[in-house]
Amino acid sequence: MPSHPPVAETGSPPATRLERLRAARTPRFLLVLVALGFLVRGVAGNWSETSAALSRLSWWTPALSFAAVMAGLGFMLLAWREILSGLGSPLPPGVAARVMFVGQLGKYVPGGVWAFAAMIELARDHGAPPRRTFSATALGLVTSLGCALALAAATLSGQILEDGWYLVALIPIIVVGLHPRVMTWGLNLALRIARKEPLDQTLGGAHMARAAGWTVIGWLVYGVHLWVLVAGMRPGGASLYAVAAGAYALAWATGILTVVVPAGIGVREGAMVIALAPVLDAPRALVVAVVSRVAFTLADVAWAALGMILHRLARTSSDVTAGQAPVR
């Protein structure tokens, strides 16, 4: 089914829409400040552990780990953008980065819905209807969860998987749920419950396959970030990569399913310590978990800032081009 023209998507004429955007700037700015406040509070509350952890590692180890996190988040951006495009709302890379990563700061605010709400509002500014942004974000999250659990199942030892069997049991459910017909039915049901319009375009299998591919790559790169930290604590080389990748995947999945805890803080670290037990004792595993959390926190802020810069540069370039247009 073809998508509607831009005016139909936004549902308001340009002047009215501009007024709405101006009115929304203040609450959005306040939301970002609140999210940053909770984020800083979480880091400050564990600063003694963080500083002690960093002192036990070579300077290049956390730097390389941070670079891997930044790259992994970039692949996740490509996956989310692919899904949103497949639903009928393609966004330029800079705009997509701003929408996703500035919105994602909301995950540090207690409540579990602020990231969704912020992304929906930011994407609305660029013609993406709420139903599409909500659906793309939900599908991206479920796809990432499925890939994380599959990676954990493929790399971790039997005892750890036995303890987390209920997570591994979600894999076939997620695979079935990502079938285009099943996912469309489920998303429309969720939209109906929320009293929103149903999807007007079905996500094709090619878009879903590309999004899944980017997500898998992202998770493999995430594994590098933890592998570097684990290798900094003990020798082992490439043989530690599988354990590190699986440990982070299982820890992230555990944290994301604990929706009452903002960004899974504390839960993810505990699960990571358990998953790393075959290669690290608890004190060293906790050091790795803390540094990993700091790397992701800083990367969230860095990507949000980068998204805002890219968006501003693109808008400035567009304004300059429009200003140089010949007068007839």
Side-chain angles (χ1 to χ4, degrees), residues 120-294:
I120 286 172
E121 286 302 311
L122 289 169
R124 195 203 299 263
D125 295 350
H126 302 280
R131 62 182 180 275
R132 291 182 186 170
T133 308
F134 169 81
S135 299
T137 306
L139 283 177
L141 184 62
V142 172
T143 303
S144 190
L145 179 60
C147 291
L149 292 175
L151 180 60
T155 56
L156 295 180
S157 64
Q159 182 58 49
I160 294 175
L161 293 180
E162 287 179 11
D163 295 337
W165 64 268
Y166 51 91
L167 294 175
V168 179
L170 292 174
I171 296 176
I173 299 175
I174 292 173
V175 171
V176 172
L178 290 178
H179 186 279
R181 291 186 179 180
V182 177
M183 77 170 71
T184 301
W185 176 85
L187 289 171
N188 282 335
L189 176 61
L191 290 169
R192 190 180 308 119
I193 293 173
R195 298 183 180 179
K196 302 293 183 181
E197 295 182 10
L199 289 172
D200 57 347
Q201 186 165 322
T202 301
L203 182 66
H207 285 284
M208 191 68 247
R210 284 193 291 269
W214 287 126
T215 305
V216 169
I217 295 173
W219 272 106
L220 293 175
V221 175
Y222 280 166
V224 173
H225 107 274
L226 202 68
W227 171 46
V228 171
L229 297 176
V230 172
M233 288 289 173
R234 55 154 289 178
S239 62
L240 293 176
Y241 173 78
V243 176
Y248 181 73
L250 183 66
W252 179 87
T254 304
I256 205 68
L257 291 173
T258 312
V259 295
V260 297
V261 180
I265 294 175
V267 177
R268 191 165 86 188
E269 286 73 21
M272 193 180 298
V273 170
I274 295 173
L276 288 175
V279 294
L280 288 180
D281 55 32
R284 288 187 295 173
L286 183 58
V287 169
V288 169
V290 171
V291 177
S292 171
R293 168 65 71 177
V294 173

